[in-house]
Amino acid sequence: MYASKRYLLIAWIFVLPALLIRFFTTVYPVIETFRVSFYNVNLLRGINEFIGFQNYFSIFQDEKMITSIYFTAIFVVGSMIGHIVFGIGLALILNMKMAGQKVLRTIVLLPWAMPMVVIAIASKWAFNNEYGLVNDFIRWFNPNFSLDWLIHTDTARAAVIAVDLWKDVPFFAILVLAGLQFIPRDMYEAAKIDGAGVLQSFFRITLPLISRNILLLSIFFTMWRITSFDIVYAMTSGGPGEDTALVAYRITTEAFTNLNTGYAASIAIVLFIVMAILSGLSMYGAKKVNY
């Protein structure tokens, strides 16, 4: 009995440093962020005063913040629709038996392996009207085409979503492909004998059997989209105006540019709560999928 307690004590001694590191790098920052969110902390003005829930009320009275919330919703919904549609389509192509299949899968995954900041900076050049790759390609078909993508609200938002899709759809497709590998070929052969076509096999066999896989992937990819920061930071800097500023980018600018840390902390807490709710609802929905 004494020996077992001794071994347990030794185990806790070895584990304690890791727990302390985890506490001070994860738990403590969350607690401190929650505390600061109730204060008016502005390092430029030297202000540090308790104001209760005023920072939280200000979120929904700030026009720039409302614009950021609006674009974040557009970005998340648009990006996830694209991930699901193009990701499934690409996965089906990669699942076909063809020459050089392994090489093709490796090449397709290259965009995901590149840092987002590098891709965003390159995309900023690519969407330039004078020397950008995108406009040069369009001018092959329409020599008079001219468009400054990143200085117009609608096109800048579309460009951000397009770059995000180009970066992460291959990874989404590879993960969907992993689910496709577990579907027995015998099921397709039996469906073909029964007279089922390609579309019928897809909607009656493929899609139901990978639906749980797609739902779980969508949960995690949605969380990543909500907290996206680097693509906007490197590609548009929130412009034109504030029209492509995501919520995570707004937190950064408030905290490190405006040095309004109390307000930034309140936005971060609201974002944390929204993510926790969405994650809980998504996981609950995933349990309801029978496949």
Side-chain angles (χ1 to χ4, degrees):
M1 185 69 178
Y2 174 77
S4 62
K5 289 184 177 180
R6 181 184 177 185
Y7 291 144
L8 183 61
L9 178 62
I10 294 174
W12 274 107
I13 291 174
F14 281 109
V15 171
L16 188 59
L19 293 177
L20 290 175
I21 293 173
R22 193 62 177 172
F23 175 81
F24 285 108
T25 58
T26 304
V27 179
Y28 173 73
V30 173
I31 296 174
E32 182 63 12
T33 301
F34 185 75
R35 184 192 70 81
V36 172
S37 68
F38 293 101
Y39 285 78
N40 180 17
V41 182
N42 193 307
L43 300 180
L44 286 175
R45 301 177 181 177
I47 300 174
N48 187 0
E49 58 182 359
F50 179 80
I51 57 173
F53 288 94
Q54 185 58 48
N55 281 328
Y56 292 93
F57 297 144
S58 298
I59 293 175
F60 304 100
Q61 299 170 354
D62 185 352
E63 292 184 2
K64 293 182 178 180
M65 193 62 224
I66 293 174
T67 301
S68 296
I69 294 173
Y70 177 68
F71 176 59
T72 300
I74 294 175
F75 177 75
V76 172
V77 174
S79 180
M80 287 315 304
I81 291 175
H83 273 77
I84 294 172
V85 173
F86 295 119
I88 294 175
L90 183 57
L92 292 173
I93 294 173
L94 296 176
N95 196 40
M96 296 178 180
K97 291 183 179 180
M98 64 182 76
Q101 186 184 63
K102 293 182 180 179
V103 176
L104 179 61
R105 291 177 181 178
T106 303
I107 294 174
V108 165
L109 200 58
L110 287 178
W112 172 78
M114 299 173 62
M116 176 56 88
V117 172
V118 175
I119 292 176
I121 293 175
S123 299
K124 186 176 182 178
W125 298 335
F127 282 99
N128 184 277
N129 182 47
E130 301 298 328
Y131 52 79
L133 180 65
V134 175
N135 281 6
D136 282 348
F137 176 76
I138 296 175
R139 287 179 186 130
W140 287 358
F141 308 95
N142 183 4
N144 297 322
F145 181 82
S146 179
L147 177 62
D148 287 313
W149 292 82
L150 301 184
I151 68 172
H152 301 288
T153 298
D154 293 337
T155 54
R157 288 174 172 177
V160 170
I161 295 174
V163 172
D164 180 71
L165 290 174
W166 184 83
K167 168 79 165 64
D168 279 344
V169 161
F171 184 52
F172 189 93
I174 291 295
L175 296 177
V176 173
L177 176 63
L180 292 174
Q181 302 294 306
F182 288 96
I183 301 177
R185 292 289 176 182
D186 297 343
M187 298 184 68
Y188 292 107
E189 294 175 2
K192 188 175 182 180
I193 293 173
D194 291 337
V198 176
L199 290 178
Q200 287 178 314
S201 296
F202 173 74
F203 286 106
R204 296 297 182 89
I205 298 175
T206 306
L207 193 58
L209 291 179
I210 64 172
S211 59
R212 184 178 179 86
N213 186 24
I214 293 172
L215 181 57
L216 291 175
L217 288 176
S218 298
I219 293 171
F220 295 109
F221 274 76
T222 298
M223 298 300 107
W224 292 338
R225 301 281 85 70
I226 292 176
T227 57
S228 292
F229 157 79
D230 41 7
I231 183 173
V232 170
Y233 175 78
M235 185 175 174
T236 65
S237 298
E242 303 291 336
D243 292 336
T244 61
L246 297 168
V247 172
Y249 179 78
R250 173 62 52 206
I251 294 172
T252 304
T253 55
E254 288 293 340
F256 299 104
T257 302
N258 301 334
L259 297 181
N260 192 0
T261 55
Y263 184 49
S266 65
I267 301 173
I269 292 297
V270 171
L271 183 61
F272 173 79
I273 293 173
V274 169
M275 289 183 62
I277 294 173
L278 290 177
S279 179
L281 292 175
S282 300
M283 295 303 293
Y284 176 78
K287 293 180 180 179
K288 297 298 182 180
V289 178
N290 296 323
Y291 296 98

